[in-house]
Amino acid sequence: MLENPRSPRVRAVAKLTKRSARAETGLYLLEGPQAVREALTYRPDAIVELFATTNGWEKHPDIRAKAADAGVDAVHVTDYVLGAMADTVTPQGLVAVVRQTPTAVREVFASAPRLVAICEEIRDPGNLGTIIRAADAAGADAVVLTGRTVDPYNPKVVRATTGSLFHLPVSVAADLREVIAHAHAAGLNVLAADVKGDDLLAARAEGVLAQPTAWLFGNEARGLEDDALALADHVLKLPIFGRAESLNLATAASVCLYESAFAQRAASGS
């Protein structure tokens, strides 16, 4: 039982809330039963340490069973220790330290994907996490991060994915132009989502959305720069039927990804 919230081991886990510590160690923090459950189900090999309070461990027999099957031993800690480790104010009894497992850009596009989300300069952790979750739900093949997009292993991003981080490849790449070149070489149309674009409904009618697609989403405040828009095959905008000024980035991205998913499945008869 770990009881000292100031011990070096506890402090090392707590430091993973900082990007510098994550970059140095290649590890990140995972909190809560849902995230831990998904990690144990899909990437148990990436789990370095698992910490649990007595109540948190007893409350989730399925997690205990998954941990046993994966050969992952839980270290029992007090509530104070878990609180010192966690990024949230009220952690839910389980915290894990997990190895980062980004996918190389070349691997993403070498696998003949049909739907990819490219995130350029997205700064809000909640937005990025929600886009990863929406991409997973829409059946996308990968999410690629470019520019100064927020770290996908930021605790707020990880929480917002609700476990989807373990379901599809996430790639971290610096150069948007290189990523677009890979997408084109793989036979994907690049569709940029931007308020300056053409009506998405017209593109749907023309069959554009049924093609293998990489959606490009930009910064929450500025959108996509002109040089980024110039790399796209089409620039499209969602129609606003009501009086809202615009849609939240993550909401708009979710609609775009689902529009492509619907169109692709209708075209293939699946």
Side-chain angles (χ1 to χ4, degrees):
M1 172 76 73
L2 276 179
E3 298 180 339
N4 182 3
R6 296 183 179 84
S7 71
R9 189 175 187 184
V10 174
R11 289 184 176 184
V13 175
K15 284 181 180 179
L16 296 176
T17 59
K18 306 298 183 184
R19 183 163 191 164
S20 58
R22 295 194 299 273
E24 180 182 344
T25 62
L27 305 174
Y28 67 103
L29 195 63
L30 197 64
E31 296 185 45
Q34 176 60 22
V36 169
R37 183 180 292 110
E38 295 305 295
L40 285 168
T41 301
Y42 294 96
R43 288 308 305 264
D45 57 305
I47 298 175
V48 176
E49 291 184 293
L50 175 60
F51 301 94
T53 63
T54 300
N55 183 59
W57 195 237
E58 292 178 351
K59 191 176 179 180
H60 301 286
D62 63 317
I63 291 178
R64 295 202 306 272
K66 287 179 180 294
D69 290 343
V72 176
D73 295 324
V75 178
H76 292 278
V77 300
T78 65
D79 289 334
Y80 288 113
V81 165
L82 200 77
M85 291 176 171
D87 182 61
T88 54
V89 176
T90 54
Q92 301 175 57
L94 293 164
V95 163
V97 173
V98 185
R99 190 176 298 105
Q100 298 175 23
T101 55
T103 302
V105 172
R106 289 183 180 275
E107 292 181 25
V108 166
F109 293 104
S111 61
R114 290 191 55 81
L115 184 58
V116 174
I118 303 172
C119 300
E120 166 74 352
E121 301 282 344
I122 294 176
R123 307 300 291 160
D124 182 82
N127 277 335
L128 179 60
T130 301
I131 291 171
I132 293 172
R133 181 180 181 182
D136 178 22
D141 298 291
V143 177
V144 180
L145 315 183
T146 61
R148 293 178 297 167
T149 291
V150 63
D151 177 14
Y153 302 109
N154 176 301
K156 293 182 176 63
V157 176
V158 175
R159 288 199 297 276
T161 71
T162 65
S164 287
L165 191 61
F166 302 106
H167 299 165
L168 77 171
V170 175
S171 179
V172 181
D175 185 65
L176 176 62
R177 188 175 296 274
E178 178 185 348
V179 171
I180 298 295
H182 279 296
H184 281 148
L188 276 67
N189 281 336
V190 177
L191 307 183
D194 194 90
V195 295
K196 298 188 287 290
D198 299 322
D199 194 333
L200 180 140
L201 296 181
R204 179 210 284 171
E206 294 166 3
V208 171
L209 301 182
Q211 302 303 311
T213 295
W215 273 104
L216 174 58
F217 306 113
N219 180 266
E220 294 87 347
R222 303 186 309 276
L224 289 160
E225 302 291 346
D226 289 343
D227 57 349
L229 292 174
L231 299 173
D233 299 296
H234 301 276
V235 181
L236 302 176
K237 66 179 178 182
L238 289 173
I240 301 292
F241 299 118
R243 288 175 288 183
E245 182 271 332
S246 63
L247 286 171
N248 165 273
L249 170 64
T251 302
S254 300
V255 174
C256 291
L257 290 165
Y258 261 97
E259 280 283 347
S260 286
F262 291 149
Q264 290 180 2
R265 279 160 176 71
S268 66
S270 60

